[in-house]
């Protein structure tokens, strides 16, 4: 029943992680793509409540894009009550509350709650997703202690099953995973230039601009120099970028040297060494 080569080497992460419960799913392909979404967010445990066409269904594996092991380990249950019997907390996704008095969370807030429940307290949790056509019924949501509603465009709140799973899986991964900073500058083998390195380049650039006459307008010179300084100070210039800019200035100055400008007598700058 599995796809080619058994799919990716997926396995549960250490500790507790939320269980995805698909209630009365209608299409095998949607179960497969939901498993694919789970794999992207580091979720592994899948439970199916009364799938319409039975289980297993080969088309689910074909649609899972390598999330075979999640489908291999999925369990089937007759009722929601049976699917969540061993859970301590149950969340239910819903497009809108239906006269129910219960806590309501966005996907992001729900993920933060789930991290605290699963990782900090070691409790088992489940998230209910309803059938594709109509979503969860009131009797389904009666088994949940918390509702989850996605803050989407109110004029068009239409998600398929896999998309609904993907949003929560993404928020779970971001809330539980602490290795990736939210913002970073990829510098590869170079590094962000220090202020001293940047200052050395700006002094050299200004000197060359004075020598070529670009800054001859004395009343405007301070403002022009400040504009150049602000331009380079605004971002995190890397050491390699400064080397490139030094090379540009070198080639520009050599042209003037060939026209009679004397060679500089100052000792070589750091970028000229090595």
């Amino acid at each position: 029943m599995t796809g080619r080569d058994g799919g990716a080497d997926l396995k549960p992460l250490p500790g507790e992680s939320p269980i995805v419960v698909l209630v009365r799913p209608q299409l095998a392909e949607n179960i497969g793509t939901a498993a694919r979404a789970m794999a992207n967010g580091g979720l592994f445990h899948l439970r199916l409540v009364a799938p319409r066409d039975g289980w297993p269904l080969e088309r689910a594996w074909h649609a899972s894009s390598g999330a075979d092991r999640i489908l291999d380990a999925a369990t089937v249950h007759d009722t929601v009550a049976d699917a969540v019997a061993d859970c301590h907390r149950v969340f239910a996704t819903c497009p809108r509350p239906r006269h129910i008095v219960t806590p309501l969370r966005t996907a992001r807030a729900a993920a933060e709650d789930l991290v605290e429940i699963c990782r900090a307290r070691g409790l088992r949790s489940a998230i209910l997703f309803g059938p594709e056509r109509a979503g969860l019924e009131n009797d389904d949501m009666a088994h949940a202690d918390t509702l989850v509603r996605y803050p989407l465009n109110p004029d068009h709140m239409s998600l398929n099953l896999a998309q609904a799973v993907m949003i929560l899986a993404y928020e779970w991964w971001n809330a539980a995973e602490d290795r990736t900073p939210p913002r970073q500058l990829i510098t590869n083998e170079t590094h962000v230039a220090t202020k001293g390195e940047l200052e050395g380049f700006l002094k050299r650039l200004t000197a060359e601009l004075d020598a070529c006459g670009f800054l001859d307008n004395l009343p405007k010179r301070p403002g022009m120099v400040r504009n150049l300084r602000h331009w380079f100070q605004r971002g995190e210039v890397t050491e390699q970028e400064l080397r490139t800019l030094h090379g540009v200035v070198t080639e520009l100055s050599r042209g003037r040297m060939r026209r009679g400008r004397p060679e500089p007598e100052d000792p070589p700058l750091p970028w000229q060494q090595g």
Side-chain angles (χ1 to χ4, degrees), residues 67-89:
D68 296 13
R69 285 168 174 75
I70 293 176
L71 297 175
D72 293 341
T75 58
V76 180
H77 305 263
D78 293 330
T79 64
V80 173
D82 179 56
V84 301
D86 62 341
C87 297
H88 304 94
R89 296 287 304 275

Side-chain angles (χ1 to χ4, degrees), residues 204 246-256 258:
R204 181 176 179 231
H246 275 299
V248 170
V249 174
T250 295
E251 292 304 313
L252 291 173
S253 64
R254 280 175 179 170
R256 290 194 303 280
R258 285 194 294 268

